[in-house]
Amino acid sequence: MRRSRGLTAALVLSLAGAGTGIGLVLMPQASAITPPVAFTADELPTWQPDGIVFAMAQANGTVFAGGTFSAVRPPEGAAGAEQEAVNFVALDAATGKPTSCKLAFTIGDGTATVRTLVVSKDKKTLYAGGYFGAVNGTPVSSLAAIDIESCTPKASFHPGFPATVRGLAVTDDTLYAAGDFNAVDGQTRERFAAVDAGTGALKPFVANVDEPGRAVEVTPDGKNVLLGGDFFTVNGSNSHALAVVNATTGAVTKTYTNIPSNSVVKDISTDDTGFYTGHEGSGGGVFDGRIGLRLSDFTEKWRDRCLGATQFVLPYQGVLYSSSHAHDCSTELEFPDGKRNFLLAQPTNHDGAAPAPVDGFVRGPGKLGWHPTANDGLGEGIGPRVMAVADKNDVKYLWVGGEFTLINGKAQQGLTRFASTGDIGAPTTPVASAASVKPGEAQVRWRTSYDADDSKLTYRIYRNGSATPAATVTASSLEWERPQASWNDTTVKAGQTYTYRVTATDDAGNTSALSAVSSVTIPTTVQTYPNQVRQDGANLYWRYDDSVSPYVADSSNGGNTSGVQFNAPALRQTPGAVSGASTAMGFNGTSQLVHGDRRQSVGNTFTVETWFKTNTTRGGKLIGFGNNTTRSSGSNDRHIYMTNTGRLVFGVYNGSARTVSTGLFETYNDNKWHHVVGTQGPGGITLYVDGQNKGSLNATSNSTYAGYWHAGGDNLSGWPTRPTSNFFAGQLDETAVYPTALTQAQVKNHFDLAKAPTDSVSAVKATEDTYINQGAPSTAYGTSTSLAVRGTSAYETYLRFNLPAAPAGQVLKSASLQIKTSTQAGAGTADTVSVVPVTGTWSGAGTTFNTKPTLGTTPLGTIAGVPDGSAVHSVELDTAAVSAVLGGSYSLGLTSTGTDPLWIWSAESTAAEGTPQLVLTFGAK
C-alpha cells in the first residue's frame, strides 16, 4: 500500500528584457526538479547483480531485491570484489552497497527464483515469494517469512505452495498470494490464496481463477483485494485479467470485461488517489499500458494505451511512475511508434476536467518530464521490471530493478536508483535561429531543449555577444515534444546586423552551453513575400534559411512547429525561390526529410504551399501530413507529391484517396523553381501551380488522426500514380501551412511577390588588419588577435575590405561597420571613435607607427562611448561615400582623440562574431 498526496500544475510565463516573447506549456516554479516529479533522472552508483531482478521491497533505509542471479558486484569502475548473492541481496538505500544481511534462496531441482517481496506493516518481517525450496537451508515451499532485524528465515512460517508465487500483499494479519499454484497445504486454492501473516496458516479466503495470477493488492481500507493476472473467470464469474474480491471471503465484488483477451495484468498498486494496473500482451489490438481506477466504486477513471509491456506501476506523491518499454503513445497524442522509453511518469489524476472519451476510454494524464533511459537487457528483453521508494537521512530514493544492462547510456545491470536531490544534468544546448522580415523587429527562435528531469526550462537570449541577457523566456518541453519558443527583439535598427545566442537552465541551476551564433541583418524595407505569408495566416512556415542541424525554424506569427531534419538534408542551397538572400534545402530522394516536432490535428479546411526545383524521374512527396515522424506513416494524406514523369498530385483521404493532378503533359521536373499550393475547404480541394488553378474536386473531408507535417518524404503506398520513390530529390523552399483555404487571388499574389525585387545583404569580412602603437614605434602588429584605438599616446587601427559591386539594378541602401570588443578588462572606451578612409598605403606585416598611412579627415561614421564587456557594436557609415568605392579594395581607419583605449578582436581572432566586417544592404533604385 503506497500513500500519495496530489500536486497541481499551473501555467507560467516569464519574460524579461526588451521586446516581446512567446513561452510554451509552462510548469510551476520549483527549487530543483520540475514538480510534481519527485526524483532526478541522474543515476547513482549502485551495486549490480549478474542476472535479473524481479522483486523489490524496502524497510528502514534498506532495499531488498530478489530475482534470478548468483552474485553482485560494485558499480562499473568502482573498487571492490564480487560478492555471492543467491537470488537475493539487501542494499543500503543511500549508498547502494550490500548490507550484512545475506540470504540464499535455493531449490533442489530446477532454477530457484524470487519473484515478489513485501514488508509487513510494522517493518519487522520481509515476505518473499517465487520458486524455491529453502532459505539459508531452512526448508520452505515457494513462500518465506524473514525476520528483518536478524536476517533469518522464520522456521515456523512454512505454508505449502507447490508452484511459483508471483505476487504478495500484506495487511496487519493476512498475507495474500498470487501465482501459478492450484492448492495450498493440500487444499484447493487456484492461483490466489490468503494465509495468516504470523503463522502461515491457510485462511478461508477463496478466489479461484482459471489462469495464472500475477498481482495482488489490498485496498487502503482493507475491505477488498485487487486481483491481476491472465485469468478469464473468478469464482466462476467472467472477468478477464482484473477483478475485485472481498478481503475476507474472496467473493467477487467487481468484474471487468473490457481488457483485451490478449492482454494481462502484470502489476497492481494503490494509494489514496486510486488503484493502478500495468498491462502487457501480444498481437493485434493489444493493451500494453496502464489503467487508473477509483477506489470508491472500482470504475475506470482513465486508460493510457501506450504500447510497450508495462511491468510495474508505482504511485508516489501524486505521480504514477511506471516501468515498460513504451514505444508508441500515438493514442495518447504523444510520441509515435519508434524508440523504446523504459521509465515514465504521469500524474495519477487529470489536472482539472478529464478529456472527452475516445473509443469509449478517457486518455491517461500526459507524461511528465522524467525520463531516465535504459535498454532491453537480458532474458526476455523487457528492461526495468520493478520499483520501490526508500527513505534514508531525509533523502528519498527511487530504486529500479530489472534485466537492463544500461542506464542513461552507462553500463549498469539489474539495479539502479535515483534521488530526490542532487540534480546535476544540464539541458541540451538550444539550436537558435534569427530572422527579420521588416524594419524594427528581429525574431529569435529556438527549438526548446530537453532535460531528463525538468520539463520547465529558463532560456536566456544574449545579443551581440553581451554577457547580460537581453531577455529571459521560460518554456516547457519533453523528450518527444519540443515546441519552438521565440522572442521578438523590437529595439533593432534597420540596416544593422545583430547576433544572438541562447542558453537553457533547469530549476537546479544547471545551464547548457551557449547555442551557436545566429545572425540577422535588419532590412530597410519590408520583405514582401515572407511578410505576406505571415499576414495571410500561416501557422507553419519553414523558410530553410537555417545554418545548423537539425533545426528548421517556424517563421510564422506565433508559430511553434519547428522542423527536425532527418538524415541531414543539404542546408543553405542557393539561389532560393524568393528574390533576395533566402536559401533553400536540398533532399537526396532516398532518405532525407523534415518533420514537424509537434503532434497536432488538422481539420477539413487548410492550405499547403511550397516551392520546389527538381529534375528527378523518380517522383516523391514534397509536403504532407502523417502519423509518424521518421518511420513510414501508416495514416497519411493532405499531401502534394510528384509522379515519375513530373506531374503534380494533391490529395486527401476520406475513406478513399481523393486527388487532383496536373495534366498529362504538364510536367515540372525541368530543374526550375515552381510554386505549388493545395487547398481544402467547403468548396472541396484545389491544386494551384505557379499561380494557376490546375483543377478542383468536391472532396470536403479528410482522415481524422493526429500527426506531423513532413517535407521531402513520407509514405505514398496506395496513392494513385504512385512514384518509384516516397522521397523527393531536389530542393524545397518557403514551405507553409495555413488553417484556412487560400483564395486564388492570394495564391497568385504569393507567386508574383516571390519574383519581385527585394533587398539583399552582403557581410564582407576584413581581409587584412593591423594597428600601430606610438609607444612601440617600430613594431608591426599584423598578426595580433586584437586591435587598439586611442588618441594619446596614439593607437590607430586599419582594416581592408574587398567590396562587391552593387547587384544589377540595385544600389547601396545602407552600410555599417561591425566590431567586437575583446574580453580583456577595460576593453571599452568612454571616448568617441571615428571611422575614416585610409588614403595612404599600408600592410599588416610592415606597417608601424613610424610608417603609418595617411588618413582622411572627414569621418564616415562615429561611435560615442563603447561599454566594457565583450560585445558586438555597429557603426553606421556614410552610404554615399561607401557607394563610390564599391567593386574595389577599400581601407578604413579607426581613430580617437581621447586617452581611454578601445580594444577589439581582429580577423586573426577565433572569437565568435569577432571578425570586423562591413554589412552592406542593396536594394532597388
Side-chain angles (χ1 to χ4, degrees):
M1 199 179 304
R2 304 171 181 91
R3 297 292 177 186
S4 171
R5 67 176 185 271
L7 296 176
T8 59
L11 298 181
V12 177
L13 172 63
S14 171
L15 174 69
T20 58
I22 300 170
L24 306 169
V25 197
L26 311 178
M27 299 292 290
Q29 295 292 331
S31 59
I33 308 159
T34 304
V37 171
F39 305 96
T40 79
D42 303 315
E43 79 289 349
L44 296 174
T46 308
W47 278 59
Q48 51 194 321
D50 60 356
I52 301 172
V53 172
F54 291 104
M56 195 175 287
Q58 66 83 30
N60 309 317
T62 298
V63 172
F64 308 105
T68 307
F69 49 87
S70 61
V72 291
R73 64 187 187 277
E76 296 295 321
E82 183 176 277
Q83 298 182 16
E84 183 179 63
V86 183
N87 302 315
F88 176 88
V89 64
L91 304 113
D92 185 286
T95 67
K97 297 178 180 179
T99 71
S100 59
C101 178
K102 311 292 183 183
L103 297 172
F105 288 76
T106 58
I107 197 166
D109 185 23
T111 301
T113 183
V114 175
R115 291 301 175 112
T116 179
L117 294 167
V118 68
V119 171
S120 63
K121 301 307 177 186
D122 60 9
K123 304 295 184 181
K124 294 182 178 180
T125 303
L126 171 68
Y127 298 96
Y131 181 65
F132 47 83
V135 181
N136 285 2
T138 299
V140 292
S141 183
S142 293
L143 181 64
I146 312 299
D147 179 72
I148 292 177
E149 183 177 5
S150 64
C151 187
T152 57
K154 296 181 177 181
S156 62
F157 184 94
H158 49 76
F161 283 79
T164 303
V165 174
R166 299 184 180 276
L168 292 173
V170 66
T171 65
D172 291 334
D173 58 6
T174 303
L175 179 67
Y176 296 90
D180 300 347
F181 50 86
N182 288 313
V184 177
D185 287 339
Q187 297 188 46
T188 299
R189 294 290 190 275
E190 296 179 350
R191 285 94 183 188
F192 289 97
V195 299
D196 186 278
T199 67
L202 185 65
K203 289 202 167 188
F205 174 90
V206 175
N208 292 333
V209 302
D210 57 333
E211 296 289 344
R214 296 179 180 269
V216 61
E217 186 63 277
V218 184
T219 57
D221 62 9
K223 295 180 180 180
N224 290 279
V225 176
L226 313 168
L227 313 179
D230 302 17
F231 53 83
F232 290 88
T233 63
V234 181
N235 289 340
S237 298
N238 291 329
S239 190
H240 175 52
L242 181 66
V244 184
V245 298
N246 180 273
T248 302
T249 66
V252 175
T253 301
K254 174 75 173 179
T255 60
Y256 298 87
T257 57
N258 62 354
I259 296 172
S261 61
N262 56 355
S263 298
V264 303
V265 168
K266 293 298 296 287
D267 186 50
I268 304 174
S269 292
T270 185
D271 69 356
D272 54 12
T273 68
F275 73 97
Y276 305 91
T277 58
H279 300 251
E280 77 168 14
S282 61
V286 68
F287 173 57
D288 264 355
R290 293 154 292 284
I291 300 177
L293 301 106
R294 301 175 183 88
L295 287 168
S296 57
D297 58 5
F298 309 120
T299 58
E300 184 171 317
K301 54 183 179 178
W302 54 258
R303 180 174 295 210
D304 185 317
R305 291 182 288 172
C306 291
L307 296 176
T310 303
Q311 300 298 303
F312 200 83
V313 286
L314 173 59
Y316 180 74
Q317 293 187 353
V319 174
L320 184 68
Y321 299 89
S322 59
S323 64
S324 68
H325 53 253
H327 58 87
D328 186 353
C329 282
S330 299
T331 58
E332 304 305 298
L333 301 184
E334 294 170 328
F335 51 86
D337 193 16
K339 66 182 287 290
R340 292 186 167 197
N341 299 274
F342 293 92
L343 294 167
L344 298 173
Q346 62 196 124
T348 52
N349 290 321
H350 285 283
D351 182 18
V358 178
D359 299 331
F361 302 107
V362 174
R363 290 192 185 98
K367 308 301 184 296
L368 298 169
W370 183 74
H371 198 247
T373 64
N375 69 341
D376 292 345
L378 309 167
E380 298 175 56
I382 294 294
R385 286 182 174 268
V386 65
M387 295 182 286
V389 174
D391 184 344
K392 189 167 185 180
N393 300 328
D394 296 324
V395 177
K396 308 294 191 302
Y397 297 91
L398 175 61
W399 281 71
V400 179
E403 55 194 279
F404 50 83
T405 57
L406 293 174
I407 292 293
N408 291 336
K410 302 173 185 176
Q412 177 69 26
Q413 182 173 334
L415 283 169
T416 192
R417 61 202 173 98
F418 309 94
S420 59
T421 61
D423 180 12
I424 60 173
T428 59
T429 302
V431 182
S433 173
S436 179
V437 300
K438 59 184 178 181
E441 180 181 285
Q443 300 87 41
V444 186
R445 304 179 179 88
W446 61 96
R447 187 185 187 208
T448 46
S449 298
Y450 162 61
D451 188 281
D453 44 30
D454 287 276
S455 58
K456 178 184 66 64
L457 300 175
T458 298
Y459 298 89
R460 292 179 174 85
I461 302 98
Y462 298 88
R463 185 174 74 177
N464 287 350
S466 173
T468 301
T472 300
V473 173
T474 306
S476 85
S477 55
L478 299 170
E479 195 263 353
W480 53 84
E481 186 176 278
R482 295 169 60 183
Q484 177 174 284
S486 64
W487 171 70
N488 290 341
D489 188 350
T490 57
T491 65
V492 293
K493 296 181 180 179
Q496 294 195 19
T497 297
Y498 296 83
T499 63
Y500 299 90
R501 305 182 82 179
V502 182
T503 63
T505 303
D506 66 17
D507 277 349
N510 301 304
T511 300
S512 73
L514 282 162
S515 69
V517 174
S518 184
S519 63
V520 58
T521 300
I522 310 305
T524 56
T525 58
V526 173
Q527 295 181 346
T528 55
Y529 182 90
N531 190 62
Q532 193 63 52
V533 170
R534 289 157 60 91
Q535 285 190 352
D536 284 342
N539 57 8
L540 179 154
Y541 186 18
W542 296 338
R543 301 204 67 198
Y544 306 116
D545 294 335
D546 313 279
S547 57
V548 181
S549 296
Y551 175 59
V552 177
D554 180 358
S555 296
S556 63
N557 275 323
N560 64 356
T561 307
S562 53
V564 181
Q565 302 164 29
F566 180 64
N567 284 332
L571 305 182
R572 300 192 64 80
Q573 302 291 287
T574 56
V578 175
S579 298
S582 181
T583 62
M585 183 172 285
F587 298 84
N588 62 9
T590 58
S591 62
Q592 295 171 339
L593 57 83
V594 172
H595 66 80
D597 64 358
R598 185 172 69 90
R599 191 177 184 90
Q600 57 189 286
S601 297
V602 179
N604 295 329
T605 300
F606 68 93
T607 296
V608 289
E609 173 183 43
T610 195
W611 287 80
F612 68 93
K613 183 172 71 172
T614 184
N615 60 1
T616 184
T617 58
R618 301 178 72 247
K621 183 176 292 192
L622 281 69
I623 181 174
F625 193 70
N627 68 343
N628 212 302
T629 52
T630 58
R631 295 189 177 188
S632 184
S633 295
S635 297
N636 55 89
D637 73 335
R638 305 167 177 88
H639 51 203
I640 296 171
Y641 58 93
M642 178 175 280
T643 69
N644 289 346
T645 61
R647 297 172 65 194
L648 294 171
V649 181
F650 169 55
V652 298
Y653 187 86
N654 59 5
S656 63
R658 308 299 302 277
T659 62
V660 179
S661 61
T662 57
L664 186 61
F665 301 106
E666 292 181 302
T667 57
Y668 298 91
N669 53 349
D670 55 5
N671 218 29
K672 297 179 181 178
W673 280 112
H674 295 283
H675 180 232
V676 60
V677 176
T679 68
Q680 183 177 38
I685 62 174
T686 303
L687 173 66
Y688 301 92
V689 181
D690 293 341
Q692 302 298 312
N693 185 330
K694 296 299 180 180
S696 299
L697 182 69
N698 184 24
T700 58
S701 63
N702 52 50
S703 295
T704 301
Y705 60 93
Y708 308 83
W709 287 107
H710 297 73
D714 195 14
N715 189 16
L716 286 169
S717 178
W719 285 86
T721 56
R722 180 189 180 186
T724 300
S725 176
N726 289 332
F727 295 89
F728 173 73
Q731 295 179 345
L732 295 178
D733 201 3
E734 307 293 328
T735 299
V737 177
Y738 306 77
T740 60
L742 295 184
T743 66
Q744 183 164 1
Q746 288 175 306
V747 172
K748 182 62 164 59
N749 186 36
H750 289 194
F751 176 71
D752 292 338
L753 288 175
K755 303 305 178 184
T758 187
D759 291 355
S760 61
V761 178
S762 293
V764 183
K765 295 184 182 296
T767 58
E768 191 172 16
D769 56 22
T770 191
Y771 76 99
I772 56 92
N773 178 2
Q774 187 176 11
S778 299
T779 303
Y781 295 93
T783 59
S784 175
T785 59
S786 58
L787 305 168
V789 183
R790 183 172 62 192
T792 306
S793 58
Y795 295 143
E796 290 179 354
T797 284
Y798 313 123
L799 308 169
R800 179 174 286 115
F801 300 91
N802 291 329
L803 301 183
Q810 294 188 332
V811 296
L812 184 67
K813 300 181 72 174
S814 68
S816 63
L817 172 67
Q818 283 197 172
I819 55 176
K820 185 178 183 182
T821 45
S822 72
T823 53
Q824 73 182 64
T829 180
D831 300 327
T832 296
V833 173
S834 298
V835 181
V836 297
V838 177
T839 59
T841 60
W842 65 278
S843 70
T847 297
T848 68
F849 179 82
N850 291 334
T851 61
K852 64 179 183 175
T854 303
L855 302 182
T857 58
T858 302
L860 302 175
T862 61
I863 182 168
V866 177
D868 287 345
S870 184
V872 175
H873 302 276
S874 291
V875 184
E876 295 186 55
L877 303 181
D878 185 286
T879 304
V882 178
S883 295
V885 295
L886 290 175
S889 179
Y890 188 53
S891 293
L892 297 174
L894 275 64
T895 68
S896 173
T897 60
T899 59
D900 188 12
L902 170 71
W903 289 93
I904 61 175
W905 293 120
S906 74
E908 285 75 21
S909 170
T910 58
E913 316 145 280
T915 301
Q917 61 180 349
L918 287 176
V919 179
L920 309 176
T921 300
F922 298 98
K925 295 180 180 179

